[in-house]
């Protein structure tokens, strides 16, 4: 590499780090807004976020950056596409193209609107007041359509919105995958519903928050969560956020009358954090140093939450510890009863509390409604009814209010409509593929989990997935790691084996 190349490369890295610093500062403000900020801070916070984001956007769309990318591209033409520099250029070019297609005023309008919209939702949800958020949601839909309009040439209006979170995925690719999955899940849910229901009453007792927190934090520390590079705080709708390689935080919410809620949310968000903590520190502050996509990220949160955290092996080791933490509540509950309780399959209203089997039906409903809203086939005013009808059709449950219906998820109230949900189910599918590949490489993993050891699994994931950051498109990453394109079979086999045993199918 000659000195001209090194000079250009150093300038690129400096510019990209500056943009990343602004995004990270905005992330700190957002984290604060969702954890500790008093309600009346909302208005100014919206303005502050808009300022930071529009400044980041201006730097990301600067003509000098475009010229720099143009000058660097011939210099890296001889490199293989998976060389770090070639991958960095690809991702930097992608971000530059996205930024230059969006006017700064539009970016600021979106940032300011979503902040006010979130605030309206946070007040409207406890009051079950859809009318209060309706005008915000109408504007969000309008902004979402306008967003897609800046990326002409798409096959479906949702494609540019999906591309933001799951780059390379399209409606045309996702629709058939989800249709096949629904066809597999519907008879499975029916077969389980015909069996005697699991007794989950042991989870619905009084579990003091502090003890729940200590147990969950000890478990994720065993998984490999590094508390010198992160912390856990409380919020309304749990999330993970990365400020840097050295600061990947998680949030959770506790319910003292239900053991599962806080514990599995902690496992879930820790899984997201492992992905970020496992990236290459040399890429910190650069676009390569973060997870590949929403779906790839969700594959890791679901892996640690469900495949590990709801497995019989995990609880063979940890259940005696949980009983010791809650002797009055769980002293007389057997491991088998507890294991059945945390894996109880039951169609319900709330996505984040749904079991592994019905969960994807919640996601497919949202994905379909997003497409219909964007296509203009469904009006915001009719959304609560459409939501109810779809829940009755797919899950056989009726929502008596909007709080547990269309108001339950933050996504449409804190972002655009379109592209916000498909990653959850793609994540489950990818999780099945990645875990099968990990087991093929290391058949000893389940035995280790049953002894409270996670280093082989965590090490395999770090080496094959986390360390790569966003070097590969998700489809290419899957092909590289598993030897196959994205496919349903391993996930279906996982569900069939686990729930076949649980429900004697
Ligand atoms: Zn997640």
């Amino acid at each position: 590499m000659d000195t001209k190349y090194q000079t250009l490369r150093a300038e690129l890295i400096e510019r990209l780090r500056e943009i990343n610093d602004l995004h990270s500062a905005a992330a700190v403000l957002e984290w604060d807004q969702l954890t500790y900020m008093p309600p009346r801070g909302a208005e100014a916070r919206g303005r502050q976020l808009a300022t930071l984001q529009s400044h980041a956007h201006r730097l990301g769309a600067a003509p000098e950056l475009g010229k720099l990318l143009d000058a660097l591209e011939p210099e890296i033409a001889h490199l293989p596409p998976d060389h770090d520099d070639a991958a960095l250029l690809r991702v930097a070019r992608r971000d530059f193209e996205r930024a230059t297609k969006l006017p700064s005023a539009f970016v600021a309008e979106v940032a300011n609107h979503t902040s006010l919209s979130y605030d309206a939702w946070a007040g409207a949800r406890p009051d079950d007041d859809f009318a209060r958020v309706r005008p915000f949601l109408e504007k969000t839909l309008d902004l979402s359509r306008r967003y897609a309009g800046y990326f002409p040439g798409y096959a479906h209006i949702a494609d540019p919105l999906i591309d933001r979170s799951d780059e390379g995925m399209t409606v045309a690719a996702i629709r058939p995958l989800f249709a096949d999955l629904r066809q597999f899940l519907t008879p499975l849910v029916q077969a389980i519903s015909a069996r005697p229901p699991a007794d989950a009453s042991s989870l619905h007792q009084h579990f003091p928050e502090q003890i729940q927190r200590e147990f969950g934090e000890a478990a994720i520390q065993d998984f490999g969560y590094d508390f010198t590079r992160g912390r856990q705080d409380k919020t309304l709708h749990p999330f993970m956020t990365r400020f840097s390689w050295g600061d990947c935080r998680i949030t959770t919410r506790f319910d003292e009358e239900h053991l599962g809620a806080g514990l599995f949310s902690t496992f879930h968000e820790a899984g997201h954090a492992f992905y970020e903590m496992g990236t290459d520190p040399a890429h910190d502050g650069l676009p390569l140093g973060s997870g590949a996509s929403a779906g790839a990220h969700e594959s890791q949160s679901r892996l640690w939450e469900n495949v590990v955290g709801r497995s019989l092996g995990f609880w063979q080791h940890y259940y005696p510890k949980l009983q010791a933490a809650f002797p009055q509540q769980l002293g007389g509950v057997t491991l088998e009863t507890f294991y059945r309780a945390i894996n109880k399959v039951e169609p319900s209203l709330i996505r984040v509390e749904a079991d592994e089997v019905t969960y994807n039906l919640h996601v497919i409903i949202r994905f379909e409604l997003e497409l219909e809203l964007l296509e203009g086939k469904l009006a915001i005013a009719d959304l609560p009814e459409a939501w109810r009808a779809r829940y009755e059709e797919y899950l056989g449950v009726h929502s008596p209010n909007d709080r547990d219906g269309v108001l339950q998820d933050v996504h449409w109230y804190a972002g655009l409509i379109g592209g916000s949900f498909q990653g959850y189910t793609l994540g489950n599918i990818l999780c099945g593929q990645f875990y099968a590949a990990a087991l093929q490489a290391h058949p000893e993993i389940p035995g280790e989990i049953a002894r409270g050891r996670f280093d082989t699994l965590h090490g395999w994931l770090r080496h094959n997935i986390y360390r790569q950051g966003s070097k590969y498109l998700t489809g290419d990453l899957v092909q590289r790691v598993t030897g196959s394109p994205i496919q349903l079979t391993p996930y279906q086999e996982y569900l069939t084996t686990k729930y076949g045993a649980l429900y004697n199918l």
Side-chain angles (χ1 to χ4, degrees):
M1 297 287 171
D2 57 24
T3 36
K4 181 193 163 204
Y5 175 77
Q6 293 301 349
T7 311
L8 291 171
R9 186 181 181 279
E11 195 192 325
L12 177 70
I13 283 173
E14 197 185 320
R15 282 179 177 273
L16 295 176
R17 284 234 160 90
E18 195 181 355
I19 297 165
N20 186 276
D21 285 345
L22 290 169
H23 285 304
S24 299
V28 178
L29 292 188
E30 276 167 349
W31 169 85
D32 172 71
Q33 179 173 34
L34 299 175
T35 50
Y36 293 104
M37 188 187 78
R40 292 180 66 186
E43 202 175 327
R45 184 55 51 89
R47 193 188 62 237
Q48 293 155 354
L49 281 166
T51 299
L52 281 175
Q53 277 153 1
S54 73
H55 194 48
H57 178 250
R58 232 187 335 270
L59 293 179
E64 296 85 347
L65 179 59
K67 280 181 199 141
L68 194 54
L69 292 169
D70 289 343
L72 271 160
E73 257 147 30
E75 302 279 333
I76 58 122
H78 64 285
L79 295 175
D82 65 347
H83 188 284
D84 277 3
D85 282 7
L88 178 65
L89 257 282
R90 178 187 72 77
V91 179
R93 168 65 71 183
R94 175 202 70 191
D95 292 346
F96 176 73
E97 296 294 335
R98 276 185 194 156
T100 46
K101 284 178 176 158
L102 295 174
S104 290
F106 177 77
V107 175
E109 191 182 351
V110 170
N112 197 40
H113 170 70
T114 51
S115 176
L116 296 174
S117 168
Y118 171 82
D119 198 39
W121 169 77
R125 190 181 176 217
D127 296 347
D128 188 28
D129 187 1
F130 180 77
R132 208 188 308 169
V133 296
R134 187 181 143 182
F136 289 96
L137 219 43
E138 278 165 350
K139 177 155 186 198
T140 305
L141 181 58
D142 175 55
L143 289 168
S144 308
R145 287 217 184 91
R146 279 165 60 198
Y147 179 92
Y150 291 117
F151 301 86
Y154 51 74
H156 189 283
I157 186 169
D159 286 348
L161 291 145
I162 290 171
D163 203 64
R164 292 194 316 160
S165 48
D166 285 296
E167 190 188 3
M169 297 302 293
T170 59
V171 172
I174 298 167
R175 254 187 183 145
L177 203 60
F178 283 11
D180 288 351
L181 182 58
R182 195 183 151 214
Q183 217 156 37
F184 164 80
L185 290 172
T186 303
L188 181 60
V189 174
Q190 280 165 354
I192 291 172
S193 300
R195 308 293 303 168
D199 173 13
S201 58
S202 57
L203 304 178
H204 298 274
Q205 305 180 64
H206 186 73
F207 295 94
E209 180 179 314
Q210 188 53 29
I211 306 176
Q212 286 194 47
R213 176 193 278 269
E214 282 163 14
F215 182 87
E217 291 186 351
I220 61 169
Q221 205 155 5
D222 292 350
F223 290 167
Y225 189 83
D226 178 357
F227 276 94
T228 69
R229 293 169 58 204
R231 50 179 289 127
Q232 176 169 255
D233 295 274
K234 290 202 289 175
T235 190
L236 201 58
H237 194 104
F239 63 96
M240 185 278 307
T241 184
R242 172 195 172 122
F243 305 145
S244 68
W245 183 83
D247 194 349
C248 304
R249 301 187 190 188
I250 58 173
T251 58
T252 194
R253 63 175 164 206
F254 295 102
D255 179 348
E256 291 200 313
E257 311 309 317
H258 176 45
L259 182 60
L263 188 59
F264 291 109
S265 145
T266 296
F267 291 179
H268 180 99
E269 300 309 332
H272 283 300
F274 296 148
Y275 201 161
E276 295 299 322
M277 287 175 159
T279 53
D280 186 341
H283 296 155
D284 193 25
L286 294 171
L288 286 189
S290 198
S293 64
H297 240 293
E298 201 63 14
S299 77
Q300 296 313 301
S301 55
R302 304 293 283 179
L303 191 150
W304 290 97
E305 175 193 356
N306 291 329
V307 177
V308 175
R310 286 182 213 264
S311 69
L312 184 56
F314 173 82
W315 288 106
Q316 281 165 350
H317 185 79
Y318 284 91
Y319 191 57
K321 294 173 194 283
L322 189 70
Q323 283 180 309
F326 297 110
Q328 280 175 330
Q329 297 90 332
L330 297 175
V333 178
T334 65
L335 168 63
E336 192 185 317
T337 302
F338 178 78
Y339 174 61
R340 285 176 187 278
I342 58 170
N343 288 293
K344 180 177 184 174
V345 176
E346 186 176 40
S348 66
L349 293 172
I350 309 290
R351 175 183 65 86
V352 295
E353 291 167 11
D355 58 84
E356 279 184 278
V357 180
T358 59
Y359 182 86
N360 294 299
L361 296 170
H362 292 258
V363 176
I364 291 169
I365 288 171
R366 288 155 176 74
F367 179 70
E368 291 178 356
L369 292 174
E370 283 195 319
L371 298 190
E372 287 162 33
L373 287 167
L374 288 163
E375 287 163 357
K377 289 181 183 159
L378 176 65
I380 295 291
D382 301 325
L383 184 58
E385 264 321 301
W387 182 285
R388 253 186 280 280
R390 203 71 48 116
Y391 263 77
E392 278 170 31
E393 189 190 342
Y394 287 22
L395 284 152
V397 291
H398 175 80
S399 175
N401 55 49
D402 292 328
R403 188 178 55 237
D404 294 335
V406 70
L407 289 172
Q408 72 179 263
D409 285 317
V410 67
H411 308 57
W412 292 338
Y413 308 96
L416 296 177
I417 292 171
S420 358
F421 287 104
Q422 78 286 329
Y424 292 115
T425 284
L426 289 173
N428 282 323
I429 296 167
L430 298 177
C431 170
Q433 284 188 268
F434 288 143
Y435 191 64
L439 290 188
Q440 202 163 27
H442 296 286
E444 70 275 21
I445 284 172
E448 291 184 358
I449 292 174
R451 294 196 303 279
R453 299 298 304 266
F454 307 95
D455 1 357
T456 306
L457 175 61
H458 200 144
W460 186 90
L461 293 166
R462 191 186 298 117
H463 177 78
N464 288 286
I465 300 169
Y466 306 164
R467 186 175 61 95
Q468 310 294 353
S470 51
K471 199 162 151 180
Y472 302 101
L473 289 180
T474 303
D476 297 337
L477 181 71
V478 174
Q479 182 74 46
R480 233 181 102 87
V481 174
T482 71
S484 312
I486 297 175
Q487 52 167 305
L488 282 179
T489 323
Y491 180 54
Q492 289 173 330
E493 282 170 0
Y494 161 77
L495 288 179
T496 304
T497 306
K498 178 173 176 180
Y499 290 91
L502 269 162
Y503 283 93
N504 298 316
L505 300 177

